[in-house]
Amino acid sequence: MFSLKNKVALVTGSTHGLGMAMAIGLGEAGATIVVNGNSSQEKVNQALDIYKSRGIKAYGYKFDVTNEIEVQDAIEKMESEIAPIDILVNNAGIIKRTPLEDMEVEDFKEVINVDLVSPFIVSKHVVKGMMERKQGKIINICSMMSELGRNTVGAYAAAKGGLKMLTRNMATEWAKHNIQVNGIGPGYFATSQTAPIRIDGHPFNEFIVNRTPAAKWGDPSDLAGAAIFLASKASDFVNGHILYVDGGILATIGKPTNEK
Ligand code: GCO
């Protein structure tokens, strides 16, 4: 039920971090992984070496998920060179931490463009093949900020809140084609994106450990199981669901700092 044997999974932003961790999980469940990054072909090739060192069949494509021409060309290329895309994980994303009143409009738009518009762009070009084949899995990587606000991440919260509703609308429109669209909402994970707010002694580091019932930051490998579930037959009747992998943050109002 959880096997992804003979499936092809495209994971955007999978040269490092949470994208790589989820893609490794999908690969270890049997999927062929299509790795994407936009920084450099070298980075994509370095990532391919990591996947292959773990016995995962992987191919790499450098393209900008916000550029519809590049996306369309890349998807046509990979589907002719490899095989149709069975599983799409829209993971690529950025964050800019600035108080809203100080944020440049261009910076706000860039966050919305990468974190909300690009999942629409990539999904639009992958879903047509899924509709023809009458099957497919799309997983949008949401966030705690799909549900909660936090100082300085207003653009990111707006994008991830929108991505939650885009996920539900994709599910609404495509479920009849046997395409399941769901989301994963990571809690706070130890990645390069959170490194600046995770350093020892940083007030946010202590805050998150205290705010999380599991009392720790997540390890990227903790997301693999949720990705495998939503990519596999096990979730064939799950539509429009955001699966939070957050150590319990959303289950609680938290506790006083002096309470154990
Ligand atoms: C922040 C963090 C969060 C996490 C994640 C939580 O600045 O609050 O970067 O945004 O990265 O998105 O789900």
Side-chain angles (χ1 to χ4, degrees):
M1 176 179 287
F2 295 96
S3 169
L4 301 179
K5 198 167 171 338
N6 301 323
K7 298 291 184 184
V8 176
L10 166 59
V11 183
T12 64
S14 50
T15 58
H16 64 286
L18 299 187
M20 175 173 271
M22 288 184 281
I24 286 173
L26 298 177
E28 289 178 343
T32 293
I33 302 302
V34 181
V35 177
N36 158 258
N38 188 41
S39 50
S40 69
Q41 189 58 50
E42 189 197 349
K43 270 252 190 297
V44 172
N45 295 341
Q46 285 168 354
L48 283 178
D49 290 344
I50 295 170
Y51 287 97
K52 291 175 181 173
S53 71
R54 297 177 76 124
I56 293 168
K57 196 173 178 190
Y59 299 82
Y61 290 81
K62 176 185 175 297
F63 61 93
D64 176 355
V65 292
T66 67
N67 180 316
E68 185 169 19
I69 305 294
E70 283 192 32
V71 168
Q72 191 167 7
D73 289 351
I75 287 166
E76 281 169 9
K77 205 159 175 280
M78 63 184 76
E79 294 208 317
S80 64
E81 291 173 353
I82 310 168
I85 304 296
D86 302 295
I87 302 157
L88 168 61
V89 180
N90 285 308
N91 165 74
I94 61 170
I95 192 167
K96 290 179 186 284
R97 299 184 181 95
T98 311
L100 282 170
E101 68 274 14
D102 297 335
M103 189 166 219
E104 298 297 332
V105 172
E106 282 319 303
D107 286 339
F108 187 94
K109 285 182 176 177
E110 187 187 1
V111 173
I112 298 291
N113 203 30
V114 178
D115 295 2
L116 178 57
V117 179
S118 71
F120 161 66
I121 292 172
V122 181
S123 301
K124 179 184 163 193
H125 288 283
V126 170
V127 79
K128 287 174 185 146
M130 291 179 170
M131 289 166 78
E132 283 161 17
R133 294 187 298 277
K134 283 260 175 263
Q135 68 173 11
K137 297 281 186 178
I138 297 175
I139 303 169
N140 294 322
I141 304 309
C142 297
S143 163
M144 298 309 304
M145 275 65 231
S146 297
E147 301 293 343
L148 302 172
R150 175 172 102 71
N151 284 349
T152 77
V153 296
Y156 184 83
K160 293 297 188 178
L163 187 55
K164 173 176 74 172
M165 288 314 302
L166 180 61
T167 300
R168 290 179 177 160
N169 227 84
M170 287 177 175
T172 300
E173 296 191 29
W174 297 337
K176 58 181 172 288
H177 302 288
N178 189 34
I179 297 165
Q180 291 81 46
V181 185
N182 293 286
I184 291 175
Y188 280 84
F189 281 77
T191 63
S192 57
Q193 192 225 48
T194 58
I197 56 175
R198 199 162 27 91
I199 46 182
D200 273 347
H202 190 296
F204 198 80
N205 183 33
E206 191 183 332
F207 165 70
I208 285 298
V209 172
N210 189 56
R211 180 73 176 75
T212 306
K216 62 178 182 177
W217 288 77
D219 179 277
S221 62
D222 291 326
L223 285 172
I228 292 166
F229 167 62
L230 291 176
S232 71
K233 284 195 64 55
S235 59
D236 278 0
F237 199 51
V238 180
N239 302 81
H241 181 74
I242 313 297
L243 176 51
Y244 286 97
V245 184
D246 67 353
I249 288 185
L250 286 177
T252 177
I253 60 165
K255 61 184 189 296
T257 46
N258 60 357
E259 182 186 296
K260 284 292 163 230

